[in-house]
């Protein structure tokens, strides 16, 4: 696992040349993602690892309604693509051995559906004191159209990206915004390469944030993303304090990101189907 780095904040330098973001928070609540979602009886491998750097993003204001749509909705004032930005802090993690049976898309050929990735129980999500509403969601089959960066787009094509699901979340107190992203690739090797590419230190590019009518957009400023390969899927959660301001603590970003990872439950459903064993 690569420790998250602060790529822009002016903090005390680390011995390895990087920078620690609130190093006193490293022993905080998050040493990994939740073992399972609220109400779920199955055990889960953590999706996100503790970050040495974290962030949030978003603008003030939010949305009191859901906008659920596909690619064609953008022209009609529906969900669209946001700015070409990267997170300040990024934590990648490679696939766990439990995902071995999901390592090839040939064993899991059915495309992701909108209802599968964003069912009713992920329209409102919460963790600790953070509660978010799904402002918009989109399932794209054109991976190039919802990403930026020639290197990233080249690897998405190389590793057979067939879908990118994006969900835009806004906290109920309007202080935070979040993005949930799932990338469907041909193999675990491809998913792990995309997780590496998304590291802002590589300059390879990133996924464009999904915008929603009436909701604050992700903007340049302080934000944090957590990515992990889950078999042939790359799962990313990306959070920001409204307007891109620096958060009060590392735990603030960690807890906010834990709230919006709920849609990743679909991966465990896929693993059950491939494995044939309820979890």
């Amino acid at each position: 696992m690569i420790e998250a780095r602060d790529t822009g904040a002016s903090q005390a330098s680390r011995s390895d040349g990087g920078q620690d973001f609130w190093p006193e928070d490293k022993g905080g609540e998050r040493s990994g993602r939740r073992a399972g979602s609220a109400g779920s009886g199955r055990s889960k491998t953590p999706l996100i690892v503790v970050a040495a750097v974290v962030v949030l993003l978003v603008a003030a204001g939010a949305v009191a309604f859901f906008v659920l749509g596909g690619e064609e909705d953008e022209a009609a004032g529906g969900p669209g693509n946001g700015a070409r930005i990267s997170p300040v802090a990024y934590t990648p993690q490679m696939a766990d051995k439990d995902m071995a049976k999901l390592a090839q898309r040939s064993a899991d050929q059915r495309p992701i559906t909108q209802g599968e990735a964003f069912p009713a129980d992920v329209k409102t999500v919460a963790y600790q004191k953070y509660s978010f509403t799904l402002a918009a969601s989109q399932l794209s089959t054109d991976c190039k159209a919802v990403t930026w960066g020639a290197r990233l787009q080249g690897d998405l094509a190389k590793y057979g990206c067939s879908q990118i699901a994006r969900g835009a979340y806004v906290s109920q107190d309007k202080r935070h915004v979040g993005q949930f992203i799932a990338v469907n690739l041909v193999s675990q090797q491809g998913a792990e390469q995309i997780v590496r590419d998304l590291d802002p230190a590589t300059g390879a590019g990133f996924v464009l944030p999904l915008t929603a009518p009436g909701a604050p957009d992700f903007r340049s400023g302080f934000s944090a993303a957590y990515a992990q390969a889950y078999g042939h899927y790359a799962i990313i959660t990306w959070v920001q304090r409204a307007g891109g301001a620096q958060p009060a603590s590392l735990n603030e970003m960690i807890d906010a990101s834990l709230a919006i990872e709920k849609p990743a439950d679909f991966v465990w459903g896929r693993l059950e189907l491939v494995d044939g064993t309820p979890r």
Side-chain angles (χ1 to χ4, degrees):
M1 185 196 86
I2 303 172
E3 187 177 61
R5 295 185 289 277
D6 181 354
T7 60
S10 56
Q11 302 293 336
S13 295
R14 293 189 325 208
S15 59
D16 64 358
Q19 294 177 318
D20 286 338
F21 177 56
W22 296 307
E24 67 274 14
D25 284 339
K26 285 183 179 178
E29 298 177 12
R30 182 178 189 160
S31 59
R33 285 190 169 185
R34 283 176 293 175
S37 300
S40 173
R42 60 182 183 250
S43 173
K44 298 183 179 179
T45 303
L47 283 176
I48 302 177
V49 232
V50 110
V53 185
V54 183
V55 296
L56 302 182
L57 298 176
V58 98
V63 30
F65 56 90
F66 300 128
V67 182
L68 302 175
E71 295 164 282
E72 70 280 358
D73 292 333
E74 186 172 354
N81 291 332
R84 296 187 174 197
I85 55 177
S86 295
V88 171
Y90 181 71
T91 302
Q93 186 172 351
M94 299 304 122
D96 186 273
K97 63 181 180 179
D98 291 344
M99 291 288 120
K101 292 187 177 181
L102 207 58
Q104 301 296 325
R105 191 164 61 203
S106 58
D108 175 41
Q109 297 184 29
R110 181 171 55 85
I112 305 167
T113 66
Q114 182 89 4
E116 181 183 24
F118 301 105
D121 65 351
V122 306
K123 292 180 180 178
T124 300
V125 296
Y127 183 76
Q128 301 287 26
K129 66 180 182 179
Y130 299 97
S131 182
F132 287 81
T133 295
L134 183 65
S137 66
Q138 185 185 79
L139 186 59
S140 177
T141 56
D142 186 345
C143 300
K144 186 175 182 179
V146 298
T147 58
W148 64 270
R151 178 175 162 187
L152 172 62
Q153 291 174 342
D155 280 343
L156 288 168
K158 177 180 178 179
Y159 292 104
C161 179
S162 61
Q163 297 175 291
I164 295 182
R166 296 179 295 167
Y169 281 92
V170 181
S171 66
Q172 292 189 0
D173 64 6
K174 314 300 188 279
R175 294 186 60 196
H176 300 87
V177 289
Q179 297 276 320
F180 172 85
I181 301 161
V183 186
N184 187 349
L185 297 141
V186 73
S187 66
Q188 181 171 296
Q189 179 185 5
E192 291 184 339
Q193 182 58 49
I194 296 308
V195 167
R196 286 189 286 267
D197 284 349
L198 292 173
D199 188 333
T202 69
F206 212 76
V207 181
L208 293 164
L210 183 68
T211 63
D217 293 336
F218 257 68
R219 56 174 70 174
S220 59
F222 209 66
S223 67
Y226 306 86
Q228 183 167 350
Y230 264 58
H232 66 93
Y233 298 101
I235 302 295
I236 304 101
T237 57
W238 187 13
V239 291
Q240 182 178 63
R241 186 178 268 196
Q246 181 170 302
S249 73
L250 177 60
N251 287 338
E252 177 186 335
M253 300 300 92
I254 291 171
D255 288 350
S257 68
L258 286 168
I260 65 165
E261 75 175 23
K262 173 68 175 171
D265 282 357
F266 87 87
V267 174
W268 296 94
R270 291 300 183 101
L271 183 61
E272 289 178 4
L273 289 173
V274 171
D275 194 12
T277 303
R279 294 175 182 270

